[in-house]
PDB file of all heavy atoms in Angstrom:
ATOM      1  N   PHE V 143       2.622 -14.752  -0.022  1.00 96.00           N
ATOM      2  CA  PHE V 143       3.222 -13.431   0.155  1.00 96.00           C
ATOM      3  C   PHE V 143       4.673 -13.405  -0.325  1.00 96.00           C
ATOM      4  O   PHE V 143       5.401 -14.383  -0.210  1.00 96.00           O
ATOM      5  CB  PHE V 143       3.135 -13.003   1.615  1.00 96.00           C
ATOM      6  CG  PHE V 143       1.725 -12.766   2.078  1.00 96.00           C
ATOM      7  CD1 PHE V 143       1.005 -13.784   2.695  1.00 96.00           C
ATOM      8  CD2 PHE V 143       1.095 -11.551   1.867  1.00 96.00           C
ATOM      9  CE1 PHE V 143      -0.304 -13.587   3.101  1.00 96.00           C
ATOM     10  CE2 PHE V 143      -0.210 -11.334   2.259  1.00 96.00           C
ATOM     11  CZ  PHE V 143      -0.913 -12.360   2.882  1.00 96.00           C
ATOM     12  N   ASP V 144       5.081 -12.249  -0.843  1.00 95.00           N
ATOM     13  CA  ASP V 144       6.445 -12.077  -1.338  1.00 95.00           C
ATOM     14  C   ASP V 144       7.445 -11.885  -0.207  1.00 95.00           C
ATOM     15  O   ASP V 144       8.640 -12.079  -0.407  1.00 95.00           O
ATOM     16  CB  ASP V 144       6.513 -10.870  -2.286  1.00 95.00           C
ATOM     17  CG  ASP V 144       5.670 -11.086  -3.530  1.00 95.00           C
ATOM     18  OD1 ASP V 144       6.155 -11.770  -4.454  1.00 95.00           O
ATOM     19  OD2 ASP V 144       4.533 -10.596  -3.574  1.00 95.00           O
ATOM     20  N   GLY V 145       6.960 -11.476   0.956  1.00 95.00           N
ATOM     21  CA  GLY V 145       7.865 -11.279   2.082  1.00 95.00           C
ATOM     22  C   GLY V 145       7.090 -10.992   3.348  1.00 95.00           C
ATOM     23  O   GLY V 145       5.933 -10.569   3.308  1.00 95.00           O
ATOM     24  N   ILE V 146       7.731 -11.257   4.486  1.00 95.00           N
ATOM     25  CA  ILE V 146       7.162 -10.963   5.800  1.00 95.00           C
ATOM     26  C   ILE V 146       8.197 -10.146   6.552  1.00 95.00           C
ATOM     27  O   ILE V 146       9.316 -10.600   6.790  1.00 95.00           O
ATOM     28  CB  ILE V 146       6.825 -12.247   6.574  1.00 95.00           C
ATOM     29  CG1 ILE V 146       5.819 -13.089   5.795  1.00 95.00           C
ATOM     30  CG2 ILE V 146       6.291 -11.918   7.971  1.00 95.00           C
ATOM     31  CD1 ILE V 146       5.551 -14.458   6.402  1.00 95.00           C
ATOM     32  N   LEU V 147       7.835  -8.919   6.909  1.00 93.00           N
ATOM     33  CA  LEU V 147       8.772  -8.020   7.566  1.00 93.00           C
ATOM     34  C   LEU V 147       8.266  -7.687   8.961  1.00 93.00           C
ATOM     35  O   LEU V 147       7.104  -7.302   9.132  1.00 93.00           O
ATOM     36  CB  LEU V 147       8.954  -6.728   6.763  1.00 93.00           C
ATOM     37  CG  LEU V 147       9.815  -6.846   5.492  1.00 93.00           C
ATOM     38  CD1 LEU V 147       9.013  -7.473   4.365  1.00 93.00           C
ATOM     39  CD2 LEU V 147      10.348  -5.491   5.063  1.00 93.00           C
ATOM     40  N   GLY V 148       9.155  -7.838   9.949  1.00 87.00           N
ATOM     41  CA  GLY V 148       8.766  -7.573  11.327  1.00 87.00           C
ATOM     42  C   GLY V 148       9.938  -7.204  12.188  1.00 87.00           C
ATOM     43  O   GLY V 148      10.876  -6.536  11.739  1.00 87.00           O
ATOM     44  N   ASP V 149       9.896  -7.644  13.443  1.00 77.00           N
ATOM     45  CA  ASP V 149      10.930  -7.358  14.414  1.00 77.00           C
ATOM     46  C   ASP V 149      12.307  -7.778  13.862  1.00 77.00           C
ATOM     47  O   ASP V 149      12.415  -8.820  13.225  1.00 77.00           O
ATOM     48  CB  ASP V 149      10.621  -8.149  15.702  1.00 77.00           C
ATOM     49  CG  ASP V 149      11.360  -7.620  16.910  1.00 77.00           C
ATOM     50  OD1 ASP V 149      11.061  -6.498  17.330  1.00 77.00           O
ATOM     51  OD2 ASP V 149      12.248  -8.335  17.400  1.00 77.00           O
ATOM     52  N   PRO V 150      13.385  -6.993  14.043  1.00 77.00           N
ATOM     53  CA  PRO V 150      13.531  -5.879  14.986  1.00 77.00           C
ATOM     54  C   PRO V 150      13.146  -4.502  14.447  1.00 77.00           C
ATOM     55  O   PRO V 150      13.143  -3.536  15.201  1.00 77.00           O
ATOM     56  CB  PRO V 150      15.016  -5.908  15.323  1.00 77.00           C
ATOM     57  CG  PRO V 150      15.667  -6.396  14.075  1.00 77.00           C
ATOM     58  CD  PRO V 150      14.706  -7.393  13.491  1.00 77.00           C
ATOM     59  N   LYS V 151      12.855  -4.351  13.146  1.00 84.00           N
ATOM     60  CA  LYS V 151      12.438  -3.048  12.635  1.00 84.00           C
ATOM     61  C   LYS V 151      10.967  -2.830  12.942  1.00 84.00           C
ATOM     62  O   LYS V 151      10.185  -3.785  13.032  1.00 84.00           O
ATOM     63  CB  LYS V 151      12.679  -2.953  11.123  1.00 84.00           C
ATOM     64  CG  LYS V 151      14.139  -2.939  10.723  1.00 84.00           C
ATOM     65  CD  LYS V 151      14.282  -2.766   9.226  1.00 84.00           C
ATOM     66  CE  LYS V 151      15.744  -2.724   8.811  1.00 84.00           C
ATOM     67  NZ  LYS V 151      15.893  -2.564   7.342  1.00 84.00           N
ATOM     68  N   ASN V 152      10.557  -1.553  13.077  1.00 84.00           N
ATOM     69  CA  ASN V 152       9.145  -1.275  13.275  1.00 84.00           C
ATOM     70  C   ASN V 152       8.440  -1.204  11.925  1.00 84.00           C
ATOM     71  O   ASN V 152       9.075  -1.235  10.865  1.00 84.00           O
ATOM     72  CB  ASN V 152       8.935   0.003  14.102  1.00 84.00           C
ATOM     73  CG  ASN V 152       9.542   1.234  13.446  1.00 84.00           C
ATOM     74  OD1 ASN V 152       9.469   1.409  12.236  1.00 84.00           O
ATOM     75  ND2 ASN V 152      10.142   2.095  14.250  1.00 84.00           N
ATOM     76  N   LYS V 153       7.111  -1.104  11.961  1.00 87.00           N
ATOM     77  CA  LYS V 153       6.348  -1.151  10.715  1.00 87.00           C
ATOM     78  C   LYS V 153       6.635   0.046   9.819  1.00 87.00           C
ATOM     79  O   LYS V 153       6.668  -0.081   8.598  1.00 87.00           O
ATOM     80  CB  LYS V 153       4.856  -1.259  11.026  1.00 87.00           C
ATOM     81  CG  LYS V 153       4.471  -2.603  11.637  1.00 87.00           C
ATOM     82  CD  LYS V 153       2.983  -2.737  11.838  1.00 87.00           C
ATOM     83  CE  LYS V 153       2.646  -4.089  12.456  1.00 87.00           C
ATOM     84  NZ  LYS V 153       1.190  -4.269  12.658  1.00 87.00           N
ATOM     85  N   ARG V 154       6.852   1.197  10.413  1.00 90.00           N
ATOM     86  CA  ARG V 154       7.154   2.386   9.610  1.00 90.00           C
ATOM     87  C   ARG V 154       8.427   2.180   8.800  1.00 90.00           C
ATOM     88  O   ARG V 154       8.485   2.509   7.608  1.00 90.00           O
ATOM     89  CB  ARG V 154       7.300   3.601  10.530  1.00 90.00           C
ATOM     90  CG  ARG V 154       7.689   4.885   9.814  1.00 90.00           C
ATOM     91  CD  ARG V 154       7.757   6.044  10.803  1.00 90.00           C
ATOM     92  NE  ARG V 154       8.515   5.715  11.983  1.00 90.00           N
ATOM     93  CZ  ARG V 154       9.856   5.703  12.037  1.00 90.00           C
ATOM     94  NH1 ARG V 154      10.562   5.991  10.959  1.00 90.00           N
ATOM     95  NH2 ARG V 154      10.475   5.399  13.160  1.00 90.00           N
ATOM     96  N   GLU V 155       9.460   1.619   9.433  1.00 92.00           N
ATOM     97  CA  GLU V 155      10.726   1.360   8.738  1.00 92.00           C
ATOM     98  C   GLU V 155      10.547   0.297   7.661  1.00 92.00           C
ATOM     99  O   GLU V 155      11.110   0.412   6.555  1.00 92.00           O
ATOM    100  CB  GLU V 155      11.785   0.909   9.748  1.00 92.00           C
ATOM    101  CG  GLU V 155      12.195   1.986  10.730  1.00 92.00           C
ATOM    102  CD  GLU V 155      13.053   1.470  11.856  1.00 92.00           C
ATOM    103  OE1 GLU V 155      12.835   0.310  12.296  1.00 92.00           O
ATOM    104  OE2 GLU V 155      13.930   2.211  12.331  1.00 92.00           O
ATOM    105  N   ASN V 156       9.752  -0.717   7.956  1.00 93.00           N
ATOM    106  CA  ASN V 156       9.542  -1.788   6.977  1.00 93.00           C
ATOM    107  C   ASN V 156       8.734  -1.315   5.775  1.00 93.00           C
ATOM    108  O   ASN V 156       8.980  -1.735   4.644  1.00 93.00           O
ATOM    109  CB  ASN V 156       8.853  -2.976   7.648  1.00 93.00           C
ATOM    110  CG  ASN V 156       9.804  -3.767   8.535  1.00 93.00           C
ATOM    111  OD1 ASN V 156      10.992  -3.871   8.239  1.00 93.00           O
ATOM    112  ND2 ASN V 156       9.287  -4.314   9.622  1.00 93.00           N
ATOM    113  N   ILE V 157       7.759  -0.431   6.000  1.00 94.00           N
ATOM    114  CA  ILE V 157       6.997   0.124   4.879  1.00 94.00           C
ATOM    115  C   ILE V 157       7.927   0.898   3.949  1.00 94.00           C
ATOM    116  O   ILE V 157       7.865   0.751   2.720  1.00 94.00           O
ATOM    117  CB  ILE V 157       5.863   1.030   5.396  1.00 94.00           C
ATOM    118  CG1 ILE V 157       4.802   0.200   6.098  1.00 94.00           C
ATOM    119  CG2 ILE V 157       5.228   1.806   4.233  1.00 94.00           C
ATOM    120  CD1 ILE V 157       3.775   1.019   6.844  1.00 94.00           C
ATOM    121  N   ALA V 158       8.783   1.725   4.521  1.00 94.00           N
ATOM    122  CA  ALA V 158       9.712   2.510   3.712  1.00 94.00           C
ATOM    123  C   ALA V 158      10.638   1.600   2.904  1.00 94.00           C
ATOM    124  O   ALA V 158      10.937   1.871   1.732  1.00 94.00           O
ATOM    125  CB  ALA V 158      10.530   3.442   4.614  1.00 94.00           C
ATOM    126  N   GLU V 159      11.077   0.510   3.521  1.00 94.00           N
ATOM    127  CA  GLU V 159      11.969  -0.435   2.831  1.00 94.00           C
ATOM    128  C   GLU V 159      11.257  -1.100   1.650  1.00 94.00           C
ATOM    129  O   GLU V 159      11.827  -1.237   0.560  1.00 94.00           O
ATOM    130  CB  GLU V 159      12.453  -1.496   3.818  1.00 94.00           C
ATOM    131  CG  GLU V 159      13.377  -2.535   3.208  1.00 94.00           C
ATOM    132  CD  GLU V 159      13.853  -3.561   4.225  1.00 94.00           C
ATOM    133  OE1 GLU V 159      14.145  -3.156   5.375  1.00 94.00           O
ATOM    134  OE2 GLU V 159      13.919  -4.756   3.878  1.00 94.00           O
ATOM    135  N   ILE V 160      10.015  -1.508   1.853  1.00 95.00           N
ATOM    136  CA  ILE V 160       9.249  -2.152   0.782  1.00 95.00           C
ATOM    137  C   ILE V 160       9.019  -1.190  -0.374  1.00 95.00           C
ATOM    138  O   ILE V 160       9.226  -1.529  -1.550  1.00 95.00           O
ATOM    139  CB  ILE V 160       7.908  -2.678   1.328  1.00 95.00           C
ATOM    140  CG1 ILE V 160       8.147  -3.844   2.290  1.00 95.00           C
ATOM    141  CG2 ILE V 160       7.003  -3.128   0.177  1.00 95.00           C
ATOM    142  CD1 ILE V 160       6.911  -4.263   3.051  1.00 95.00           C
ATOM    143  N   LEU V 161       8.595   0.032  -0.070  1.00 95.00           N
ATOM    144  CA  LEU V 161       8.305   0.997  -1.124  1.00 95.00           C
ATOM    145  C   LEU V 161       9.552   1.392  -1.896  1.00 95.00           C
ATOM    146  O   LEU V 161       9.480   1.701  -3.090  1.00 95.00           O
ATOM    147  CB  LEU V 161       7.634   2.238  -0.528  1.00 95.00           C
ATOM    148  CG  LEU V 161       6.204   2.026  -0.005  1.00 95.00           C
ATOM    149  CD1 LEU V 161       5.658   3.312   0.596  1.00 95.00           C
ATOM    150  CD2 LEU V 161       5.287   1.528  -1.113  1.00 95.00           C
ATOM    151  N   ALA V 162      10.704   1.365  -1.226  1.00 94.00           N
ATOM    152  CA  ALA V 162      11.950   1.671  -1.922  1.00 94.00           C
ATOM    153  C   ALA V 162      12.252   0.631  -2.999  1.00 94.00           C
ATOM    154  O   ALA V 162      12.937   0.928  -3.988  1.00 94.00           O
ATOM    155  CB  ALA V 162      13.100   1.753  -0.923  1.00 94.00           C
ATOM    156  N   SER V 163      11.721  -0.585  -2.805  1.00 93.00           N
ATOM    157  CA  SER V 163      11.930  -1.663  -3.783  1.00 93.00           C
ATOM    158  C   SER V 163      10.853  -1.696  -4.859  1.00 93.00           C
ATOM    159  O   SER V 163      10.942  -2.487  -5.801  1.00 93.00           O
ATOM    160  CB  SER V 163      11.964  -3.021  -3.062  1.00 93.00           C
ATOM    161  OG  SER V 163      13.010  -3.061  -2.107  1.00 93.00           O
ATOM    162  N   HIS V 164       9.823  -0.868  -4.707  1.00 93.00           N
ATOM    163  CA  HIS V 164       8.716  -0.856  -5.661  1.00 93.00           C
ATOM    164  C   HIS V 164       8.367   0.590  -5.986  1.00 93.00           C
ATOM    165  O   HIS V 164       7.324   1.115  -5.566  1.00 93.00           O
ATOM    166  CB  HIS V 164       7.500  -1.592  -5.085  1.00 93.00           C
ATOM    167  CG  HIS V 164       7.734  -3.046  -4.830  1.00 93.00           C
ATOM    168  ND1 HIS V 164       7.617  -4.010  -5.803  1.00 93.00           N
ATOM    169  CD2 HIS V 164       8.110  -3.705  -3.700  1.00 93.00           C
ATOM    170  CE1 HIS V 164       7.886  -5.195  -5.292  1.00 93.00           C
ATOM    171  NE2 HIS V 164       8.191  -5.044  -4.019  1.00 93.00           N
ATOM    172  N   LYS V 165       9.243   1.220  -6.714  1.00 90.00           N
ATOM    173  CA  LYS V 165       9.070   2.629  -7.056  1.00 90.00           C
ATOM    174  C   LYS V 165       7.767   2.846  -7.828  1.00 90.00           C
ATOM    175  O   LYS V 165       7.427   2.067  -8.724  1.00 90.00           O
ATOM    176  CB  LYS V 165      10.251   3.110  -7.911  1.00 90.00           C
ATOM    177  CG  LYS V 165      11.610   3.009  -7.231  1.00 90.00           C
ATOM    178  CD  LYS V 165      11.753   4.010  -6.097  1.00 90.00           C
ATOM    179  CE  LYS V 165      13.174   3.997  -5.552  1.00 90.00           C
ATOM    180  NZ  LYS V 165      13.332   4.946  -4.421  1.00 90.00           N
ATOM    181  N   GLY V 166       7.056   3.887  -7.470  1.00 89.00           N
ATOM    182  CA  GLY V 166       5.842   4.247  -8.185  1.00 89.00           C
ATOM    183  C   GLY V 166       4.590   3.518  -7.747  1.00 89.00           C
ATOM    184  O   GLY V 166       3.501   3.805  -8.251  1.00 89.00           O
ATOM    185  N   CYS V 167       4.724   2.566  -6.815  1.00 91.00           N
ATOM    186  CA  CYS V 167       3.550   1.822  -6.351  1.00 91.00           C
ATOM    187  C   CYS V 167       2.847   2.563  -5.224  1.00 91.00           C
ATOM    188  O   CYS V 167       3.479   3.164  -4.368  1.00 91.00           O
ATOM    189  CB  CYS V 167       3.948   0.432  -5.844  1.00 91.00           C
ATOM    190  SG  CYS V 167       4.268  -0.763  -7.149  1.00 91.00           S
ATOM    191  N   ARG V 168       1.521   2.508  -5.258  1.00 92.00           N
ATOM    192  CA  ARG V 168       0.729   2.981  -4.139  1.00 92.00           C
ATOM    193  C   ARG V 168       0.375   1.801  -3.245  1.00 92.00           C
ATOM    194  O   ARG V 168       0.575   0.643  -3.626  1.00 92.00           O
ATOM    195  CB  ARG V 168      -0.527   3.683  -4.655  1.00 92.00           C
ATOM    196  CG  ARG V 168      -0.223   5.045  -5.263  1.00 92.00           C
ATOM    197  CD  ARG V 168      -1.435   5.620  -5.965  1.00 92.00           C
ATOM    198  NE  ARG V 168      -1.609   5.031  -7.274  1.00 92.00           N
ATOM    199  CZ  ARG V 168      -2.615   5.327  -8.093  1.00 92.00           C
ATOM    200  NH1 ARG V 168      -3.537   6.186  -7.709  1.00 92.00           N
ATOM    201  NH2 ARG V 168      -2.697   4.761  -9.283  1.00 92.00           N
ATOM    202  N   ILE V 169      -0.157   2.088  -2.077  1.00 95.00           N
ATOM    203  CA  ILE V 169      -0.383   1.051  -1.070  1.00 95.00           C
ATOM    204  C   ILE V 169      -1.851   0.651  -1.018  1.00 95.00           C
ATOM    205  O   ILE V 169      -2.737   1.490  -0.950  1.00 95.00           O
ATOM    206  CB  ILE V 169       0.056   1.535   0.325  1.00 95.00           C
ATOM    207  CG1 ILE V 169       1.555   1.826   0.354  1.00 95.00           C
ATOM    208  CG2 ILE V 169      -0.301   0.494   1.393  1.00 95.00           C
ATOM    209  CD1 ILE V 169       2.018   2.495   1.650  1.00 95.00           C
ATOM    210  N   LEU V 170      -2.101  -0.657  -1.038  1.00 93.00           N
ATOM    211  CA  LEU V 170      -3.389  -1.233  -0.699  1.00 93.00           C
ATOM    212  C   LEU V 170      -3.159  -1.979   0.613  1.00 93.00           C
ATOM    213  O   LEU V 170      -2.513  -3.027   0.634  1.00 93.00           O
ATOM    214  CB  LEU V 170      -3.872  -2.185  -1.793  1.00 93.00           C
ATOM    215  CG  LEU V 170      -5.142  -2.988  -1.520  1.00 93.00           C
ATOM    216  CD1 LEU V 170      -6.315  -2.072  -1.235  1.00 93.00           C
ATOM    217  CD2 LEU V 170      -5.458  -3.918  -2.693  1.00 93.00           C
ATOM    218  N   ALA V 171      -3.635  -1.414   1.726  1.00 95.00           N
ATOM    219  CA  ALA V 171      -3.303  -1.922   3.057  1.00 95.00           C
ATOM    220  C   ALA V 171      -4.506  -2.546   3.741  1.00 95.00           C
ATOM    221  O   ALA V 171      -5.641  -2.088   3.579  1.00 95.00           O
ATOM    222  CB  ALA V 171      -2.733  -0.800   3.924  1.00 95.00           C
ATOM    223  N   MET V 172      -4.245  -3.608   4.533  1.00 93.00           N
ATOM    224  CA  MET V 172      -5.258  -4.236   5.371  1.00 93.00           C
ATOM    225  C   MET V 172      -4.753  -4.242   6.806  1.00 93.00           C
ATOM    226  O   MET V 172      -3.642  -4.695   7.075  1.00 93.00           O
ATOM    227  CB  MET V 172      -5.528  -5.686   4.941  1.00 93.00           C
ATOM    228  CG  MET V 172      -6.253  -5.810   3.633  1.00 93.00           C
ATOM    229  SD  MET V 172      -5.134  -5.624   2.230  1.00 93.00           S
ATOM    230  CE  MET V 172      -6.219  -6.110   0.892  1.00 93.00           C
ATOM    231  N   GLY V 173      -5.563  -3.728   7.718  1.00 91.00           N
ATOM    232  CA  GLY V 173      -5.133  -3.697   9.103  1.00 91.00           C
ATOM    233  C   GLY V 173      -6.294  -3.592  10.061  1.00 91.00           C
ATOM    234  O   GLY V 173      -7.442  -3.353   9.651  1.00 91.00           O
ATOM    235  N   ASP V 174      -5.998  -3.758  11.362  1.00 87.00           N
ATOM    236  CA  ASP V 174      -7.059  -3.701  12.370  1.00 87.00           C
ATOM    237  C   ASP V 174      -6.753  -2.681  13.465  1.00 87.00           C
ATOM    238  O   ASP V 174      -7.376  -2.693  14.515  1.00 87.00           O
ATOM    239  CB  ASP V 174      -7.280  -5.085  12.997  1.00 87.00           C
ATOM    240  CG  ASP V 174      -6.126  -5.518  13.892  1.00 87.00           C
ATOM    241  OD1 ASP V 174      -4.990  -5.066  13.658  1.00 87.00           O
ATOM    242  OD2 ASP V 174      -6.363  -6.300  14.824  1.00 87.00           O
TER     243      ASP V 174
END
Side-chain angles (χ1 to χ4, degrees):
F143 293 94
D144 296 279
I146 301 173
L147 285 78
D149 198 67
K151 292 183 179 180
N152 60 40
K153 291 184 180 181
R154 177 178 48 79
E155 293 170 325
N156 285 327
I157 291 170
E159 180 179 320
I160 292 170
L161 291 178
S163 300
H164 296 276
K165 299 290 187 181
C167 282
R168 287 171 281 178
I169 297 172
L170 174 58
M172 289 81 170
D174 70 333

